[in-house]
Amino acid sequence: MKIIFMGTPKFSVSVLKKLYEAGNDIGMVLTQPDKARNRGKVTYSPVKECALELGLPVYQPRRLSAEPELVEKMREYGPDAIVVAAFGQILKEDVLELPRLGCFNAHASLLPKFRGASPMQHAILSGDEYTGVTVMKMEKGLDTGDMISKVEVEIGRKTLPELEDALAEAGAELMVKTLPEIEAGTAVFTPQDDSMSTYAGMINKNDGVIDWSVDAAQIERMVRAYQPWPGVTFMYGDKKVKVWASDAETGESGKEPGTVLSADKSGIRVACGTGVLVIKELQLPGKKRVKVSDFLLGNKVESGVLFS
């Protein structure tokens, strides 16, 4: 098939690679513009890096709707399908109607649950046992189009990067399997039940600040969902500490939320609104991520200390 691919983060790379390996003609790859980092260093998106390795032509519109020349180039290419995987821009009607078969999105949730920008994070935060990938036909609404195929992935104790890897692989295989069914006319298009939909909005940098008055299990899910950004943090005196790994214990401590109950090589146990958070790995500003056993060699944490 003649395909235009649109994607940006690591999640998208597996889909692009699988489409390429399946022998499709990927005539154009669209991804978000390069980002300027410290000291003027420019960072490519993971999709751009992959496309360049595969020798595919890359286009980086800041806003596709404001670049009619690029849309015209897409029209001239005459794609059978546009495949989208976390591109980061909403497609207008002129693009949605451009391919012969339509535009198809690999969305990282079991739609209609978790429409929006952060479905993987919200699946972890919700404590769900499973999430997955849905291949859907795109329309003007946000992740509201007809569903074509799904695959489930167990969440378990996965961190966001681990879940992203699992979903990317499963989603890539699903897209490669589904596209020929669409072309053959054997795919089944199922409308979403809007009454069952939930929304997963953008994550912001303050979402990871710990509120010790909530349930320890919720904080533990935050630690897994917000890696590597924005990270889960608390204040220890005047230092902002980042938590990289933790466990949650049930039972009431009888102490004020944020109170250190104990600190040894097995972890720093902190009272929460309900339950106890056991911090296993953490990071001080400007330092490396370390296990608690190593942290305590150079930092004294006494029972009764209050984290904020």
Side-chain angles (χ1 to χ4, degrees), residues 3-6 16 25-30 56-59 69-79:
I3 292 173
I4 294 174
F5 182 82
M6 300 181 180
L16 175 58
D25 175 9
I26 304 174
M28 302 174 73
V29 174
L30 276 65
L56 302 175
V58 178
Y59 302 85
E69 300 88 355
L70 179 54
V71 175
E72 184 55 35
K73 183 183 280 286
M74 294 164 63
R75 184 173 286 107
E76 290 172 0
Y77 171 62

Side-chain angles (χ1 to χ4, degrees), residues 11 105-109 111 113-116 119 132-136 143:
F11 170 79
N105 182 26
H107 183 74
S109 82
L111 289 171
K113 195 168 188 178
F114 301 134
R115 296 172 178 173
V133 177
T134 304
V135 172
M136 53 165 283
D143 301 326

Side-chain angles (χ1 to χ4, degrees), residues 115-233:
R115 296 172 178 173
S118 56
M120 292 181 282
Q121 291 95 326
H122 278 80
I124 295 174
L125 291 171
S126 297
D128 289 356
E129 186 177 354
Y130 289 92
T131 185
V133 177
T134 304
V135 172
M136 53 165 283
K137 184 170 184 180
M138 299 178 71
E139 57 175 35
K140 287 187 288 184
L142 179 64
D143 301 326
T144 57
D146 288 352
M147 303 176 294
I148 307 166
S149 57
K150 291 183 180 183
V151 60
E152 286 190 349
V153 171
E154 185 177 11
I155 298 175
R157 295 265 298 169
K158 291 182 179 69
T159 62
L160 178 63
E162 292 166 344
L163 183 60
E164 183 177 22
D165 287 346
L167 288 172
E169 187 66 24
E173 292 176 0
L174 185 68
M175 182 63 79
V176 169
K177 174 178 175 290
T178 302
L179 283 177
E181 295 172 355
I182 294 170
E183 187 171 38
T186 58
V188 177
F189 292 72
T190 304
Q192 294 187 44
D193 182 350
D194 291 340
S195 69
M196 300 293 290
S197 70
T198 55
Y199 179 66
M202 296 285 288
I203 305 295
N204 70 64
K205 64 181 180 180
N206 294 320
D207 287 337
V209 177
I210 292 178
D211 175 1
W212 294 108
S213 69
V214 304
D215 181 43
Q218 179 61 29
I219 300 174
E220 188 277 329
R221 291 194 291 269
M222 288 170 56
V223 171
R224 290 186 286 116
Y226 292 150
Q227 293 186 22
W229 188 91
V232 169
T233 61

